[in-house]
Amino acid sequence: MQATNETISIDHDKELDLHLERQGVSDEKLINHPVGLFLLFFTEMWERFSYYGMRALLVLFLVSEISKGGWHWTRPEALSLYGWYTGLVYLTPIVGGLIADKLTGYRKAIILGALIMTLGHASMAMEGFSANFFYLGLILMMVGNGLFKPNISSMVGKLYPLTSDKKHAAYTIFYMGINSGAFLGILMCGYVGEKVGWHWGFGLAGIFMFFGMLQFYFGQKIFGTIGAKIDNTNKKVEVVDEIPKKVANQRLLVIFILSIFTVFFWMVFEQAGGSMTIFAKDYTLRNLDGNASSIFKWADAALTIFPLLAVSIVLFGLAKKIFAKYPATVIFTAISFVIIWGLAIWKVQKEFNSVNTEVPASWFGILNSFFIVSLAPFFSKLWETKFNPSGPVKFGLGLIFVGLGFAGLAYGGSDIPRGATVAQVSMFWLVFAYFFHTVGELCVSPVGLSYVSQLSPVKYVGLMFGVWFTCTAIGNYLAGATGGLIDKISSTYSISTFFLIFTIIPVVAGLIMFALSPLLRKWMHGVH
């Protein structure tokens, strides 16, 4: 049995090598994957650093007092802008993917998108000169994200043969890059923005987007012909689906129903950057002293240093493999790491030397990425055991888990008087909420994308991904619109009632999904 497994593994490795050779891709490998994957890993890491770093500051900046450098918007105004921004961010990739397919190819689209986002961050950093720079920055961020996001994900898949058993592992590694960037971006940009100045936080996000662009630009030849020009390989032969029309239509209906339910999920989940950030800022006990202060300082130091150490080790491994051929890429990536390490050491030292410990309101945003990295391996193994429910059941579980997170916030805020604008609720309830929200996300987000690709007839794959991301965009917009009701509901009823609404909606949706599960499984026709 062992010899057979080794033979299969060798065959898959040989298949990958032949694929890379045909595409003119570097055959250097790191942990048995093409080195190009890790160049994409670091490029995506810095892009997510910039996106989530800026997003962590957006609502906080808008609602902060003018004396503290903010714009002193009302909460509904700030959350409305947040909703429009995060919603449109998920719509522009549909257009960006078409532009890459028809005009530019993946690589040019990635570089152009990164450049536009860098300019967007620079524009936001100049908001002190004119409010127009801030709005221009948001527009540039949305446009740049549309060109960047779908095409770098496509590049990952193109590195491997269609049937490669390594592709799933490759996307897992890439997903770690996404969450590493989100984690570090929220941690660093949030800290600098709140403790030093908002424009410094916005500008910091742009610096690392710039380095991400440079490292990709100077290392792009590592990909051979992949993404260098418009990909017409799938357009030469018209693909005819062999499955019966009734089966195809029912599978499409399943995708549509799952997509509709994601609207409820993202409407609730994306309160993280909106009403949950408001709750962290104004209703959470963030000034710590005594043992609580010491515990937080050490925990924050560990959360700052160890993830950075882990990705630095990956960079060192990549540098050994590609420095001789691509020195500029390694140098620019190394410079970015020198800067981030300097910031990390400064941040930790500053916190340990401070007399008073105030947890930044943006800090809680790192918990989602931390829990994802911690829990993803467990869920990956869980889905491989006998306990591997169908997609609709996983969706139902995800919706209920995200509702449970808000049940914790509703309970934690139950003693806050009606109409109160400040309170001192324990940090525990935000940690509780982010934990259950992450469990819910792991049941919905990666699972949903997988089912869209499996259930879609070949000629409708692009269209159905468009439907999926459109529903995600609608959910993000509604997150801002409903989050903006926090003042109205808390003044009329209570903030506990506000969070209870976000408990009931996903739980009811999850129960409906459970009820629909037998029918949806039937319509999936064998796709588990």
Side-chain angles (χ1 to χ4, degrees):
M1 182 64 72
Q2 185 178 358
T4 303
N5 287 340
E6 286 177 358
T7 302
I8 292 170
S9 177
I10 291 169
D11 288 343
H12 279 297
D13 287 341
K14 187 175 180 181
E15 182 186 24
L16 175 59
D17 289 339
L18 289 171
H19 173 76
L20 296 175
E21 184 180 343
R22 283 194 296 268
Q23 302 289 341
V25 179
S26 171
D27 59 358
E28 290 280 356
K29 292 196 179 68
L30 182 62
I31 56 173
N32 293 322
H33 285 274
V35 289
L37 173 65
F38 296 92
L39 180 58
L40 296 173
F41 173 101
F42 285 112
T43 305
E44 174 72 359
M45 188 182 89
W46 288 138
E47 187 276 330
R48 290 291 88 182
F49 180 102
S50 74
Y51 172 76
Y52 281 102
M54 186 282 290
R55 199 193 76 165
L57 294 174
L58 183 58
V59 170
L60 291 172
F61 163 70
L62 292 173
V63 301
S64 289
E65 297 89 339
I66 293 174
S67 61
K68 295 182 180 178
W71 282 7
H72 204 211
W73 280 19
T74 64
R75 292 169 180 173
E77 289 171 338
L79 292 169
S80 176
L81 180 62
Y82 170 83
W84 277 108
Y85 173 70
T86 55
L88 289 170
V89 155
Y90 279 94
L91 279 181
T92 52
I94 298 171
V95 180
L98 290 172
I99 289 173
D101 284 340
K102 303 290 186 183
L103 298 173
T104 63
Y106 297 138
R107 276 150 54 172
K108 287 182 181 177
I110 290 168
I111 294 166
L112 182 59
L115 176 61
I116 292 171
M117 283 189 284
T118 300
L119 295 174
H121 285 295
S123 184
M124 291 184 73
M126 295 191 292
E127 54 79 24
F129 295 101
S130 170
N132 292 329
F133 281 115
F134 180 81
Y135 296 119
L136 175 62
L138 289 178
I139 293 169
L140 290 173
M141 289 289 293
M142 289 185 286
V143 173
N145 180 78
L147 287 166
F148 184 99
K149 188 64 180 169
N151 298 309
I152 195 167
S153 298
S154 298
M155 288 277 290
V156 175
K158 295 290 183 182
L159 281 172
Y160 298 84
L162 288 174
T163 57
S164 176
D165 65 335
K166 289 179 175 289
K167 190 175 287 191
H168 177 74
Y171 273 106
T172 301
I173 293 169
F174 186 69
Y175 196 56
M176 292 299 180
I178 290 172
N179 283 285
S180 297
F183 183 93
L184 292 170
I186 296 170
L187 193 68
M188 298 298 184
C189 295
Y191 186 85
V192 171
E194 288 191 67
K195 301 282 188 175
V196 182
W198 303 110
H199 56 281
W200 289 104
F202 292 137
L204 181 64
I207 289 171
F208 289 98
M209 184 69 262
F210 180 64
F211 278 112
M213 178 189 72
L214 289 177
Q215 68 192 27
F216 182 83
Y217 176 80
F218 286 104
Q220 60 179 307
K221 289 184 180 179
I222 207 169
F223 300 107
T225 61
I226 294 176
K229 54 186 177 181
I230 302 167
D231 186 3
N232 290 313
T233 54
N234 295 325
K235 302 170 189 174
K236 293 177 182 177
V237 180
E238 184 178 351
V239 179
V240 179
D241 292 308
E242 296 180 356
I243 57 175
K245 186 176 181 181
K246 180 182 177 182
V247 173
N249 287 341
Q250 288 182 340
R251 285 179 173 176
L252 288 172
L253 191 56
V254 172
I255 294 173
F256 183 74
I257 291 171
L258 293 179
S259 298
I260 292 297
F261 275 82
T262 64
V263 172
F264 297 103
F265 179 82
W266 293 116
M267 179 184 77
V268 176
F269 181 87
E270 285 297 332
Q271 297 296 321
S275 63
M276 288 176 70
T277 298
I278 296 293
F279 187 82
K281 177 180 180 292
D282 294 331
Y283 296 97
T284 302
L285 177 60
R286 296 186 290 115
N287 289 300
L288 307 178
D289 52 29
N291 289 334
S293 173
S294 298
I295 291 170
F296 175 78
K297 286 177 179 179
W298 282 105
D300 183 57
L303 287 170
T304 302
I305 298 300
F306 286 114
L308 195 50
L309 184 62
V311 291
S312 297
I313 292 170
V314 176
L315 173 61
F316 182 72
L318 178 64
K320 288 197 297 184
K321 295 286 186 179
I322 71 170
F323 182 78
K325 291 183 180 178
Y326 306 98
T329 289
V330 174
I331 289 169
F332 282 119
T333 311
I335 291 171
S336 66
F337 268 74
V338 169
I339 295 171
I340 198 73
W341 269 108
L343 282 170
I345 293 168
W346 165 79
K347 172 183 173 294
V348 170
Q349 189 176 31
K350 189 175 189 299
E351 282 301 298
F352 272 104
N353 290 336
S354 63
V355 177
N356 300 315
T357 300
E358 182 181 19
V359 181
S362 58
W363 182 88
F364 297 94
I366 70 170
L367 296 172
N368 177 238
S369 295
F370 172 73
F371 286 136
I372 280 181
V373 173
S374 302
L375 297 174
F378 168 77
F379 274 84
S380 179
K381 293 292 183 184
L382 183 65
W383 300 149
E384 293 174 4
T385 65
K386 292 181 180 180
F387 182 75
N388 183 24
S390 66
V393 171
K394 288 174 184 172
F395 262 64
L397 289 170
L399 285 159
I400 289 172
F401 279 129
V402 80
L404 286 175
F406 278 107
L409 287 179
Y411 179 79
S414 58
D415 291 333
I416 299 175
R418 182 175 65 183
T421 56
V422 292
Q424 298 284 290
V425 175
S426 169
M427 290 169 52
F428 169 81
W429 296 111
L430 273 172
V431 177
F432 176 94
Y434 275 109
F435 174 81
F436 280 100
H437 288 186
T438 304
V439 172
E441 182 185 6
L442 288 167
C443 291
V444 171
S445 184
V447 171
L449 292 171
S450 175
Y451 277 107
V452 172
S453 63
Q454 291 181 68
L455 291 169
S456 299
V458 175
K459 61 183 177 180
Y460 291 127
V461 171
L463 175 64
M464 298 319 293
F465 270 109
V467 169
W468 176 268
F469 284 116
T470 298
C471 288
T472 303
I474 293 169
N476 275 263
Y477 167 74
L478 290 175
T482 54
L485 299 173
I486 186 170
D487 284 348
K488 184 175 181 180
I489 293 174
S490 60
S491 62
T492 306
Y493 303 98
S494 67
I495 197 165
S496 185
T497 303
F498 173 80
F499 286 123
L500 199 58
I501 292 170
F502 291 104
T503 302
I504 294 169
I505 290 174
V507 168
V508 170
L511 294 175
I512 293 172
M513 182 57 77
F514 285 155
L516 291 174
S517 178
L519 178 62
L520 295 180
R521 286 193 66 180
K522 181 180 177 182
W523 286 352
M524 290 162 75
H525 294 280
V527 175
H528 182 62

